[in-house]
């Protein structure tokens, strides 16, 4: 096998187009001979898989991208998957590819092709091998393709939590994303994530504070436990009377018996530092916000309006 051909197939997981194979030193006749002998396989209009077994997921990604005659790249969840992103649901199981609006393409099972007016050759990133869109653009696309804005916000929170990109990257991408679905919800989510929210429940608390005009909390506050390990507090308020209030938001996994004892130990560790602790479920933070807001007000979380009035009065006094 010529060195150029070996290098090509190694870099593309054994997948190539017929023009690529010919340019690398083989001939179209030899390609046909391998295909006719069932040593190689044809896929789509011009792709060849240089073995006769079932394609792997990475090979399917290469086929989906290379078979298009024009520019194409992995997008959405698939572009994030190449960066190591993991997400729940069935949609990430599909391979997502973006092509220019109006492009012609072959339809493969399990491959979803998105046509975009905003897609250009200069948008493609090839540093990781497979052509893909940048992580921030892919996260926003994946969010915009969700049926509900809450799912879109969940995508952005997960991307930042898994360190695929930063809130600043997302904010910068939002400036040029154009008119897409859930844009306003994603903009608010990026603002909350930049403030420290790394879970949907924490984004819900930020929305609760906006809705009921409460001072927003500090999020993901770092503290050291007795063993010197770093722990993170979901939400923390420094109240006007000097007390420190912590709101711990329990997801579904906290309902399991094996988490109960560790949660009690964690709460004792927080209380012994002088903080007061309130607990709520993620479901309450989302669906019972009025009751949760009333409890926060009752314990002393101030209103944004009162804080603004106090600041204005102090300026007048000066």
């Amino acid at each position: 096998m010529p060195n150029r051909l070996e290098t090509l197939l190694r870099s593309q997981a054994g997948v190539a187009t017929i023009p690529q194979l010919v340019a690398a030193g083989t001939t179209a006749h030899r390609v046909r001979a391998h295909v006719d002998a069932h040593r190689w396989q044809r896929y789509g209009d011009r792709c060849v898989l240089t073995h006769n077994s079932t394609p792997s997921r990475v090979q399917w990604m290469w086929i989906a991208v290379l078979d298009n005659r024009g520019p194409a790249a992995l997008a959405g969840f698939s572009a994030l998957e190449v960066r190591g992103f993991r997400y729940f649901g069935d949609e990430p199981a599909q391979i997502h590819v973006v092509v220019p609006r109006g492009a012609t393409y072959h339809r493969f099972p399990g491959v979803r092709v998105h046509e975009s007016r905003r897609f250009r050759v200069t948008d493609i990133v090839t540093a990781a091998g497979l052509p893909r869109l940048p992580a921030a653009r892919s996260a926003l696309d994946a969010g915009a393709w969700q049926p509900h804005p809450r799912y879109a916000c969940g995508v952005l929170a997960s991307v930042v939590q898994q360190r695929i990109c930063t809130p600043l990257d997302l904010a910068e991408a939002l400036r040029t994303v154009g008119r897409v679905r859930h844009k306003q919800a994603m903009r608010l989510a990026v603002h909350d994530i930049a403030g420290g929210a790394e879970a949907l429940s924490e984004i819900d608390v930020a929305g609760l504070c906006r809705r009921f005009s409460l001072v927003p909390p500090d999020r993901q506050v770092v503290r050291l436990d007795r063993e010197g390990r770093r722990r993170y507090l979901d939400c923390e308020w420094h109240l006007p009377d000097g007390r420190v209030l912590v709101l711990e938001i329990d997801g579904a996994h906290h309902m399991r018996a094996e988490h109960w004892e560790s949660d009690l130990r964690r709460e004792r560790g927080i209380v012994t530092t002088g903080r007061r602790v309130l607990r709520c479920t993620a479901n309450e933070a989302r669906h019972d916000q009025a009751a949760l807001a009333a409890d926060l007000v009752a314990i002393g979380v101030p209103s944004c309006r009162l804080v603004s009035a106090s600041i204005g009065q102090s300026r007048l006094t000066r």
Side-chain angles (χ1 to χ4, degrees):
M1 183 179 292
N3 289 337
R4 285 181 299 162
L5 181 58
E6 184 178 0
T7 301
L8 172 68
L9 296 180
R10 187 185 301 115
S11 66
Q12 296 183 176
V15 178
T17 65
I18 295 175
Q20 283 181 326
L21 292 170
V22 172
T26 188
T27 65
H29 176 75
R30 189 171 298 169
V31 172
R32 285 195 298 271
H34 282 303
V35 172
D36 292 342
H38 302 290
R39 292 186 290 268
W40 291 0
Q41 302 175 74
R42 280 287 303 272
Y43 283 90
D45 295 329
R46 60 180 194 149
C47 272
V48 174
L49 177 61
T50 56
H51 63 69
N52 56 11
S53 184
T54 303
S56 67
R57 181 166 178 82
V58 171
Q59 288 169 338
W60 267 120
M61 288 180 172
W62 276 109
I63 292 170
V65 170
L66 291 177
D67 193 63
N68 292 281
R69 296 182 182 276
L74 295 179
F77 285 121
S78 299
L80 296 172
E81 179 183 338
V82 173
R83 295 286 305 274
F85 180 67
R86 295 293 178 267
Y87 197 63
F88 59 86
D90 297 330
E91 188 176 0
Q94 295 181 308
I95 294 174
H96 295 265
V97 174
V98 64
V99 298
R101 172 73 74 178
T104 57
Y105 47 86
H106 190 92
R107 294 186 180 275
F108 295 104
V111 177
R112 185 172 179 183
V113 179
H114 304 266
E115 297 184 23
S116 173
R117 295 188 180 91
R118 298 181 293 111
F119 176 53
R120 302 289 185 272
V121 176
T122 53
D123 297 331
I124 300 176
V125 176
T126 58
L130 276 157
R132 59 175 176 82
L133 292 181
R137 160 77 184 271
S138 300
L140 295 179
D141 284 344
W145 298 336
Q146 299 304 303
H148 304 292
R150 181 166 172 79
Y151 295 164
C153 297
V155 172
L156 302 189
S158 297
V159 168
V160 173
Q161 190 177 50
Q162 297 180 35
R163 306 298 186 261
I164 303 299
C165 64
T166 67
L168 183 61
D169 295 331
L170 293 173
E172 190 65 27
L174 270 170
R175 293 175 52 197
T176 58
V177 76
R179 296 179 61 185
V180 296
R181 187 163 52 171
H182 312 319
K183 184 175 181 178
Q184 181 60 20
M186 290 193 290
R187 180 181 287 113
L188 290 174
V190 169
H191 179 271
D192 294 335
I193 294 167
E198 292 191 356
L200 268 177
S201 54
E202 294 169 30
I203 294 176
D204 289 336
V205 171
L208 176 153
C209 291
R210 283 194 294 268
R211 178 183 174 189
F212 294 96
S213 299
L214 298 180
V215 171
D218 298 323
R219 290 178 282 260
Q220 291 298 308
V221 177
V222 180
R223 72 176 184 89
L224 298 179
D225 63 13
R226 291 190 182 120
E227 287 77 30
R229 292 174 296 186
R230 292 166 65 90
R231 302 295 187 184
Y232 296 88
L233 303 177
D234 293 339
C235 300
E236 182 180 270
W237 286 268
H238 289 264
L239 303 181
D241 59 6
R243 293 175 300 157
V244 180
L245 172 66
V246 173
L247 177 66
E248 287 285 272
I249 309 167
D250 296 339
H253 65 283
H254 289 275
M255 306 303 162
R256 299 173 185 167
E258 60 266 27
H259 288 282
W260 179 59
E261 186 172 321
S262 62
D263 286 345
L264 291 178
R265 187 183 305 114
R266 171 183 167 86
E267 184 170 339
R268 289 199 307 272
I270 297 172
V271 172
T272 54
T273 63
R275 296 173 170 89
R276 300 194 64 176
V277 178
L278 286 183
R279 304 185 74 94
C280 72
T281 65
N283 185 66
E284 288 179 297
R286 173 61 180 170
H287 298 291
D288 199 10
Q289 292 190 342
L292 179 56
D295 290 338
L296 292 173
V297 170
I299 203 169
V301 174
S303 166
C304 289
R305 290 188 290 268
L306 292 178
V307 171
S308 299
S310 176
I311 293 173
Q313 184 64 34
S314 64
R315 287 175 179 172
L316 289 175
T317 304
R318 292 175 190 171

